[in-house]
Every structure is written in C-alpha cells, then in structure tokens.
C-alpha cells in the first residue's frame, strides 16, 4: 500500500481483506496455532517457514498493525512491543550487550534515561550522554571503538528539544553504527526520521498513536538501510551464527531489510516476552485510523495555546518549537514543517504555589501524568514527577518550579484558552 499518501495509509495501511473477509482487522485472541504435522511446526521453529505458532513471538493482529506503522514510517520491517519502554530496550539490546557503549542525547524521556543510565549500565552497557544541540566535534568525541548505536528523540519528552537528525545520523554512520530515533511525539505524520538518515525508529504507541489513553504499547521499525555485514565485527549478533537457532546468521538469511526485526522477535521476544496483546493492537489500530486528522488538531491547539500564553503578563516563559522565538524553531521548520505536537511547556510567575493554584482552577485540563491524549491534561513537574528535587537541582535540570507541561487535546482552542484565562485570573 505504501504508494498511497500517508493519510490513506493511516486509515487502510497494513491490512487488505480478501473476498468475504472482515473489513476491520480481526482480533486473533489465541495464544497458539494448530498444525497438521510436527514437520510443519519444526520448519517454523527453524525459521525456515514463516507462520504463527505462539503469540509471544507473533500474532496476526499484531502483524497487521505493525505493518501499518511500518508503511507510515517508510520502513521494511516492524514489530509491536508491550510498551514504549520495551521498544527502546529491545531496539538497543538487539545490537548492544555487556562491554558495549552507546551515544545518547541527554534530552530524552525520564523513563528512557533511567533505562539507559541505570538498568542498562547494570547490564554492562555504558552510555555517553551528549547535549541535544551539541556541535559535530562534541558528538564525534563521544564515540568509542565499542560504540554500537546512537539514540535520540525527534521531539524530546518533556524538554521539547528538537533533534538534529541529519547531524546525528551523519555522526553515527561515520562511526559505522545506526541511529535509533524515538519518534513518539512527532509521529510519522509530522516527521519520518528515515528520510533524514535515521536507521531504526521506535515509538511509545501509548501516546498519539493510540491517542485516547486506553492502551500502553510500543513499536520498533527498521529502515532496512543499515548495512550490518559491512560492519560485521561490530554486530556479531546479526552477522555470525545464532546457536539458539541452529546456526542461522540473521543478516545473511533475512538481508538488510529483515535481519534486525527478525532477530529482535526470534531472540528478544522469545526470551524476554514483552508482547503487545492482540486486543491492545486492535485499540492501537483504531487510534492510527485517525492519527493524521488528530495530529493536525493537536498541533493547531498547541500553537494557539502557546501564542496566547506568550503574550500573557503572568507567564514568564513559553517553550513550543512552533513559536518563532523558540530556540528550536529553526530545527522544527526543517524537520517538522507540518507542526510538532500538542505539548506546550510554560513557566508561571510565582513558582510552585502559582502553578498549583493555576492547575487547581482549570476546568477542562485535568492534572495527569500523561501526554498526547484526546483530552487536555497538565502537570507541574516540581510538585509531581520531579518532586524530590531541590530548587537548585530543578534549576540545573532546566525545570523552573513554576513550569507547567500542558498536553493540548482535541477540544476547541477557544475553550482551552478561555479555561487557561480564567485559571490564570485566579492566580494571585
Ligand atoms: C512515554 C514515552 C516512552 C515510554 O513509553 P511507555 O509506553 O510509557 O512505556 C518512551 N519514549 C517517549 C518519548 C515517551 O513519551
């Protein structure tokens, strides 16, 4: 289907029913699949034939939805995972193991930062963090002989920095490793990182792709463009025989297009089992069917709210890359010409007390630890996610006590602004 426009792929990608088959993707609510002979089954276990045998490895519903996300990103293979955390862990762990090293933008989601800097460090994988807008020299200097991947987020959650994907891809490729980009906030509707040189894309589908706050999930997509065999010494997992599959060499058997996702499914999903349930994949697909329509409204509302806040006397600062004064405006114009996302962060004069008073008076926007939902929600990091930090630590992290992160939903912008206006009036 990939010859169609992205809007059409959101609606119809990944699944084309045959004569008399269900119009909507069927939920294959079965853990297992029946075979006539044990020889038939044996071929699946040897990866000689493709087919389903156990939902921990593959399920038709999940495959339809993964195929849609694959088409949306312009990749060659994709898989779903149980969460965005699992997607990022699998994408990295598929090519890095104990004794290896990663280069990572320091401006990433807190959960991913913990995963990489604490849990993966405990597994023997070291990481050098670089500033999101570092120079080529700083980036280049972060690499080591054992570096296996570079990681960043198109639009970082919650800092809203924009990654210079081309620069990061160039550095990664100069050192013979792939660039992995978490494209959760932008979604393929607003940015397709493969077009700028990224090799692997990950998603927390929990956010805009689902978009209704109903199902936690993740996805990994391969561009099929990274030549593993050309750097075979760095990627033995892909380029030398896998003893747990009778000596299959993934990069040879499945080629550049399929090796990464096949290994990730056959090895990591088999052993670590972080599968998305077929029911969740079905919900995710409902979200994807309207992703292009919803993203436009999220961006429009984010822009309207950001512009309103920028002129308000009780607001000290606004961060939204669609505002001409924003430090990431130029990068956003390049990578996100259609818009960024609906998340705006701003600082209310008067610190925590003012932020708390403001949020308490909001009637439409709810206080939630969530973003990218159809319903507008907001959070004051200083009194919630970053509560244990002192004012000095908050300042060092670039989070003023009065900062509010607001995720603009799909309501009418006039109502959102009126809600913000009345709540700001209540702040003394
Ligand atoms: C939420 C989020 C994650 C983690 O995803 P979960 O689905 O919550 O596990 C990873 N990356 C980004 C950018 C996110 O916003």
């Amino acid at each position: 289907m990939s010859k169609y426009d992205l809007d059409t792929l959101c609606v119809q990608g990944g699944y084309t029913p045959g004569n008399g088959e269900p119009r909507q993707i069927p939920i294959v609510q079965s853990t297992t699949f029946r075979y006539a002979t044990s020889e038939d089954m044996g071929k699946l276990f040897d990866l000689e034939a493709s087919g389903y045998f156990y939902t921990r490895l593959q399920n038709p519903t999940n495959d339809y939805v993964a195929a849609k996300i694959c088409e949306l990103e312009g990749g060659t293979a994709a898989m779903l995972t149980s969460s965005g955390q699992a997607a990022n862990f699998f994408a990295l762990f598929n090519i890095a193991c104990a004794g290896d090293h990663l280069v990572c933008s320091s401006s990433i989601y807190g959960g991913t930062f913990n995963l990489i800097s604490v849990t993966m460090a405990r597994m023997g994988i070291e990481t050098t963090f670089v500033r999101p807008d570092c120079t080529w020299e700083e980036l280049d200097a972060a690499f080591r002989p054992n570096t296996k991947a570079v990681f960043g987020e198109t639009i970082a959650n919650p800092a809203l920095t924009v990654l210079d994907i081309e620069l990061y891809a160039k550095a990664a490729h100069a050192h013979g490793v792939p660039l992995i980009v978490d494209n959760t906030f932008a979604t393929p509707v607003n940015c397709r990182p493969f077009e700028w040189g990224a090799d692997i894309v990950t998603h927390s589908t929990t956010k805009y792709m689902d978009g209704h706050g109903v199902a936690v999930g993740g996805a990994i997509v391969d561009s099929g463009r990274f030549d593993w065999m050309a750097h075979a010494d760095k990627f033995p997992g892909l380029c030398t025989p896998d003893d747990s599959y009778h000596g299959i060499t993934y990069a040879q058997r499945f080629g550049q297009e399929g090796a990464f996702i096949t290994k990730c499914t056959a090895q990591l999903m088999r052993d670590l089992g972080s599968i998305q349930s077929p029911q969740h994949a079905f919900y995710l697909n409902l979200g994807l069917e309207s992703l292009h329509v919803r993203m436009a409204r999220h961006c429009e509302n984010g822009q309207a709210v950001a512009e309103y806040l920028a002129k308000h006397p009780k607001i000290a600062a606004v961060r939204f890359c669609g505002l001409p004064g924003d430090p990431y405006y130029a990068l956003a114009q390049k990578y996100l010409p259609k818009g960024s996302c609906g998340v705006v962060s701003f600082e209310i004069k008067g610190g925590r007390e003012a932020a708390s008073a403001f949020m308490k008076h909001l009637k439409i926007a709810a206080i939630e630890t969530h973003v990218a939902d159809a319903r507008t929600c907001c959070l004051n990091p200083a009194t919630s996610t970053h509560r244990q930090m002192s004012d000095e630590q908050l300042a060092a992290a670039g989070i003023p006590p009065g900062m509010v992160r607001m995720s603009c939903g799909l309501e009418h912008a006039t109502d959102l602004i009126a809600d913000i206006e009345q709540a700001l009036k209540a702040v003394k």
Side-chain angles (χ1 to χ4, degrees):
M1 283 213 79
S2 39
K3 64 179 189 292
Y4 292 108
D5 187 88
L6 201 103
D7 291 13
T8 306
L9 296 177
C10 281
V11 185
Q12 297 218 15
Y15 173 69
T16 309
N19 207 20
E21 287 179 357
R23 185 69 190 95
Q24 181 53 285
I25 61 168
I27 304 171
V28 179
Q29 197 68 53
S30 182
T31 57
T32 190
F33 301 82
R34 177 189 169 272
Y35 285 92
T37 70
S38 44
E39 287 75 25
D40 289 347
M41 185 100 128
K43 287 195 186 111
L44 301 177
F45 274 90
D46 285 349
L47 300 181
E48 275 174 18
S50 65
Y52 299 97
F53 56 97
Y54 192 54
T55 286
R56 168 150 45 75
L57 283 108
Q58 274 185 298
N59 174 284
T61 311
N62 290 19
D63 282 357
Y64 296 139
V65 182
K68 177 180 280 189
I69 295 172
C70 189
E71 288 180 13
L72 289 174
E73 287 289 3
T76 56
M79 66 195 280
L80 300 186
T81 58
S82 56
S83 66
Q85 286 298 108
N88 283 327
F89 174 60
F90 277 27
L92 292 165
F93 196 59
N94 204 32
I95 45 176
C97 63
D100 288 342
H101 174 258
L102 305 168
V103 172
C104 182
S105 162
S106 61
S107 183
I108 52 170
Y109 175 65
T112 313
F113 184 77
N114 281 335
L115 166 69
I116 293 173
S117 67
V118 179
T119 301
M120 291 183 71
R122 217 183 277 148
M123 300 169 85
I125 300 167
E126 271 191 90
T127 299
T128 300
F129 289 95
V130 290
R131 295 183 304 117
D133 38 3
C134 65
T135 62
W136 170 267
E137 288 70 28
E138 285 172 72
L139 192 51
D140 192 55
F143 286 84
R144 299 180 192 170
N146 59 339
T147 302
K148 296 301 166 80
V150 179
F151 182 88
E153 295 177 4
T154 311
I155 305 168
N157 175 13
L160 303 180
T161 54
V162 177
L163 190 74
D164 191 344
I165 302 173
E166 260 188 333
L167 180 84
Y168 271 66
K170 231 169 98 188
H173 298 158
H175 291 271
V177 302
L179 171 64
I180 303 176
V181 172
D182 180 333
N183 198 31
T184 298
F185 267 29
T187 83
V189 171
N190 285 341
C191 179
R192 304 211 307 167
F194 294 158
E195 291 171 0
W196 303 101
D199 302 286
I200 310 285
V201 156
T202 58
H203 283 279
S204 165
T205 61
T206 318
K207 312 294 165 52
Y208 288 115
M209 283 192 168
D210 164 345
H212 299 78
V214 297
V216 173
I220 308 172
V221 189
D222 182 7
S223 68
R225 285 203 305 253
F226 193 83
D227 189 351
W228 307 105
M229 288 308 273
H231 307 281
D233 54 323
K234 279 191 191 287
F235 305 105
L238 283 156
C239 303
T240 56
D242 177 2
D243 293 337
S244 72
Y245 273 108
H246 309 300
I248 277 182
T249 298
Y250 294 99
Q252 276 167 357
R253 175 72 73 86
F254 302 100
Q256 225 167 278
E257 307 74 38
F260 188 88
I261 294 293
T262 305
K263 174 179 181 286
C264 205
T265 303
Q267 250 180 17
L268 301 189
M269 202 56 96
R270 177 196 64 188
D271 297 349
L272 301 170
S274 305
I275 193 73
Q276 186 165 140
S277 88
Q279 185 80 43
H280 277 194
F282 178 82
Y283 292 138
L284 168 56
N285 186 56
L286 289 183
L288 290 171
E289 287 185 4
S290 63
L291 182 66
H292 54 303
V293 181
R294 290 184 293 104
M295 283 313 286
R297 174 59 81 89
H298 280 297
C299 292
E300 217 179 283
N301 283 354
Q303 187 76 34
V305 164
E307 284 173 9
Y308 169 79
L309 289 166
K311 291 193 219 108
H312 201 287
K314 288 186 181 172
I315 301 300
V318 182
R319 279 294 330 279
F320 185 75
C321 64
L323 288 181
D326 191 85
Y328 293 91
Y329 181 74
L331 283 175
Q333 292 297 106
K334 175 175 175 177
Y335 293 109
L336 304 152
K338 287 204 276 178
S340 56
C341 63
V343 184
V344 182
S345 69
F346 52 97
E347 184 190 352
I348 299 184
K349 293 177 183 167
R352 309 184 158 66
E353 292 71 28
S356 297
F358 165 73
M359 291 187 358
K360 187 174 74 189
H361 285 95
L362 287 168
K363 294 187 171 77
I364 295 176
I367 301 172
E368 278 174 38
T369 314
H370 193 42
V371 289
D373 191 322
R375 289 146 296 228
T376 297
C377 53
C378 64
L379 186 88
N380 171 227
T383 53
S384 57
T385 49
H386 296 66
R387 192 181 177 82
Q388 61 294 354
M389 288 188 176
S390 66
D391 280 7
E392 292 70 40
Q393 287 173 319
L394 285 172
I399 300 169
M403 187 205 262
V404 174
R405 181 188 71 186
M406 181 173 277
S407 168
C408 298
L410 300 175
E411 304 90 346
H412 201 284
T414 310
D415 290 334
L416 292 182
I417 289 170
D419 191 30
I420 292 169
E421 188 165 85
Q422 63 82 25
L424 280 173
K425 267 202 191 108
V427 177
K428 292 290 165 278

